[in-house]
Amino acid sequence: MPVALAAVLLTLAAYVIQGTVHTTRATSQQGDALVVDMLFTEARIAVAMQEVNLRHYQVEPSVAVKQRFDQVAAGADRVLAEVAGKNDQQARADAGRLRAAQTRYRKLAEQLITMVADSDPESIQLDRLEVTPAFYSLQNDVDEVSRAYHEYAQQQVSALRLTQVRLLFGTSAGFAIGLILVAMILKMVVGYQRRLVDQATESRHRSLHDPLTGLPNRDLFHRELSRSLAAAPVAMMVIDLDGFKAVNDTLGHQAGDLLLIETGRRLSTTVADHGLVSRLGGDEFAVLLPHATLPEAAELAGELVAVLRHEFLLNGSPATISGSLGIALAPAGADGDELFRHADAAMYHAKTTGGGVATHDPDHHTRDAQRRAS
């Protein structure tokens, strides 16, 4: 019996050690995959925000908009440079390719910004023939890379869970023999593995939510938009805060952060169970309303604009802002990116007409585009 017990213990110990080594290796791979996934997701958002700020500059050529463009462009460069420093050879290759495309797009965008600032009529041709194709090429590439690494990260999570199941089965078999020592090892290993899964779940949650407001971020919003459009008509709103920069300049960035947090809370409370509120970045928010009609969306939009006009109390200091809100509707099966552009265009139309609410109108969109080009 002592010999048999020793053999069982040695066999079980070897099994546990092998499983732990495999788990550690899988955990390391999964952790690296999640980090790269998060970085490419961040790069994807930064690339999209470059285009948003570039189009914003064409509508409102101001120093503030140019600074926002420079900030997100620098952010995109920084994130891609960080990925390029990883040990993953494929990630470095993808990051290098995207950095080259990002550099080309940024140079063209900055050239376009200069021409717009100088009211150069050639800016329209530069935009159509070079800037826009460069952006869509970069966007498509970063979207494909981001999706590929997200799928790879999820595969690593699944592989880690499979390893846990196998290891749990082996240690449970040893426990059935009656070894108290095996039970102690099992408890320690399972606890360690559960913490790893919790960390993986928390990392995934962070990658899909805004760290400041806790709202869904742009990536999660686009996923929910695509899912909703596949089944039903959808109304979408894009909201931009008017006066946010003044709060930042006068009360400081901490007050600006508090303002964004309270704005997210007010929007979420007003929308409630009717839809999804997301922070797209900066002082821009979006609302997704599945199954909503235009009158319903317009009524809710009025409530949202009204609630933003209520005074904010930030570290004991009062502050007042307003919002420009654009509404766009799309039938089931429509393109989510196109719906987003329509809502964004409506928001800019509302901003150029003094704030408030505007519904997407192709005529307004055409006139705004002509105004930006002139």
Side-chain angles (χ1 to χ4, degrees):
M1 285 297 294
V3 174
L5 182 59
V8 170
L9 287 173
L10 289 174
T11 302
L12 185 60
Y15 183 85
V16 171
I17 291 173
Q18 181 183 12
T20 302
V21 170
H22 187 70
T23 300
T24 303
R25 186 185 303 114
T27 300
S28 177
Q29 293 173 347
Q30 178 248 350
D32 292 340
L34 283 174
V35 170
V36 174
D37 172 34
M38 182 179 64
L39 290 174
F40 274 125
T41 299
E42 186 177 348
R44 180 185 184 189
I45 294 171
V47 167
M49 288 303 299
Q50 285 182 118
E51 182 71 358
V52 170
N53 283 284
L54 176 61
R55 300 310 167 192
H56 189 175
Y57 187 88
Q58 290 178 300
V59 176
E60 181 186 351
S62 65
V63 173
V65 177
K66 176 62 168 59
Q67 288 176 343
R68 287 200 296 270
F69 173 85
D70 291 338
Q71 288 173 355
V72 296
D77 294 340
R78 175 186 55 77
V79 172
L80 291 174
E82 186 174 349
V83 178
K86 295 294 180 183
N87 293 328
D88 189 324
Q89 184 175 359
Q90 183 60 48
R92 290 202 305 270
D94 290 334
R97 185 180 69 256
L98 290 174
R99 287 180 73 187
Q102 159 66 13
T103 299
R104 179 175 180 274
Y105 168 74
R106 183 176 180 180
K107 288 181 179 178
L108 290 171
E110 290 174 344
Q111 182 180 352
L112 178 60
I113 288 174
T114 301
M115 296 175 72
V116 170
D118 296 336
S119 300
D120 190 340
E122 295 296 324
S123 63
I124 300 174
Q125 185 174 6
L126 176 67
D127 188 6
R128 184 175 65 254
L129 298 181
E130 296 191 55
V131 178
T132 299
F135 168 72
Y136 281 117
S137 176
L138 173 60
Q139 183 186 50
N140 291 336
D141 198 1
V142 74
D143 284 352
E144 291 178 3
V145 171
S146 178
R147 281 193 294 268
Y149 278 93
H150 183 73
E151 291 173 1
Y152 176 72
Q154 295 309 305
Q155 290 173 359
Q156 293 301 311
V157 172
S158 299
L160 178 59
R161 288 174 177 164
L162 180 60
T163 300
Q164 290 176 310
V165 172
R166 290 173 176 172
L167 185 57
L168 180 61
F169 177 80
T171 51
S172 296
F175 178 76
I177 300 174
L179 299 175
I180 302 301
L181 180 59
V182 173
M184 295 174 61
I185 294 174
L186 175 63
K187 180 179 179 180
M188 190 169 57
V189 171
V190 170
Y192 174 65
Q193 292 170 347
R194 285 177 178 172
R195 286 195 298 273
L196 291 176
V197 173
D198 290 341
Q199 290 172 2
T201 301
E202 183 181 354
S203 297
R204 184 176 185 274
H205 181 273
R206 286 199 301 267
S207 71
L208 296 175
H209 290 78
D210 175 51
L212 178 63
T213 63
L215 295 174
N217 61 19
R218 179 182 291 267
D219 190 42
L220 181 55
F221 183 81
H222 273 287
R223 295 184 191 182
E224 293 299 324
L225 176 61
S226 300
R227 185 179 296 111
S228 298
L229 279 171
V234 167
M236 177 181 169
M237 305 176 189
V238 172
I239 307 166
D240 188 78
L241 304 184
D242 300 323
F244 174 73
K245 184 178 182 299
V247 173
N248 256 346
D249 292 342
T250 57
L251 300 181
H253 291 289
Q254 183 181 12
D257 289 345
L258 292 175
L259 176 63
L260 292 173
I261 294 171
E262 174 63 13
T263 296
R265 188 195 67 78
R266 291 186 184 184
L267 295 177
S268 298
T269 300
T270 305
V271 173
D273 296 332
H274 299 296
L276 175 72
V277 178
S278 168
R279 183 188 176 201
L280 301 178
D283 60 348
E284 194 171 51
F285 295 81
V287 177
L288 175 64
L289 299 173
H291 307 284
T293 63
L294 182 57
E296 293 171 341
E299 180 180 358
L300 180 59
E303 296 177 7
L304 294 175
V305 170
V307 80
L308 290 178
R309 292 196 180 104
H310 293 169
E311 187 177 74
F312 291 78
L313 191 63
L314 310 173
N315 289 333
S317 301
T320 302
I321 63 168
S322 60
S324 297
L325 188 150
I327 306 174
L329 274 73
D335 180 67
D337 290 336
E338 184 177 7
L339 177 61
F340 187 96
R341 289 194 296 271
H342 288 173
D344 204 42
M347 182 274 291
Y348 283 125
H349 180 72
K351 184 178 288 290
T352 57
T353 55
V357 179
T359 303
H360 173 68
D361 184 329
D363 293 336
H364 288 166
H365 182 70
T366 301
R367 287 196 295 271
D368 289 343
Q370 292 172 346
R371 188 179 299 111
R372 291 195 297 268
S374 62

